[in-house]
Amino acid sequence: QVQLAESGGGLVQAGGSLRLSCAASGRTFSNYAMGWFRQAPGKEREFVATTSWVRTSAYLAEYADSVKGRFTISRENATMVYMQMNSLKPEDTAVYYCAAANGRATLERQYEYWGQGPQVTVSS
């Protein structure tokens, strides 16, 4: 059974930092993209960042324009992905979902596995 287990959400003041972690299990993820989406109250889920497999132990990082320069996604191995979030803004408040897709992917419909989603709340 495939599982994506996230951790690291919470409450932080504007300008602060949080780090999200996601551990994947239940199948081989070596050539899978692993990334993050988020959904704010009353809004649709949106792409945040992803790491796509390029070659053995090499991954391509891609970001939404809204988080470039503030968020950093990293892949420790085939099954662990992290996202360091700095300079957080109130508009970053959302449920953040870890997701996995076969190959390179930035569209929600391309992702087949999803985590439960930790809440990130940024107060002003």
Side-chain angles (χ1 to χ4, degrees), residues 60-74:
L60 171 68
E62 297 178 273
Y63 300 90
D65 288 343
S66 59
V67 305
K68 281 182 181 177
R70 300 188 299 120
F71 291 12
T72 302
I73 191 170
S74 59

Side-chain angles (χ1 to χ4, degrees), residues 8 10-20 38 67 69-72 83-93 96 120-124:
L11 172 64
V12 65
Q13 288 188 331
S17 299
L18 283 174
R19 187 184 191 223
L20 302 180
R38 67 185 182 186
V67 305
R70 300 188 299 120
F71 291 12
T72 302
M83 187 162 69
Q84 179 67 39
M85 305 184 294
N86 297 329
S87 301
L88 283 161
K89 305 175 181 179
E91 50 263 44
D92 293 318
T93 295
Y96 282 71
V120 171
T121 302
V122 184
S123 63
S124 58

Side-chain angles (χ1 to χ4, degrees), residues 32-44:
Y32 267 62
M34 289 185 66
W36 296 90
F37 287 75
R38 67 185 182 186
Q39 188 168 22
K43 294 186 177 181
E44 294 187 350

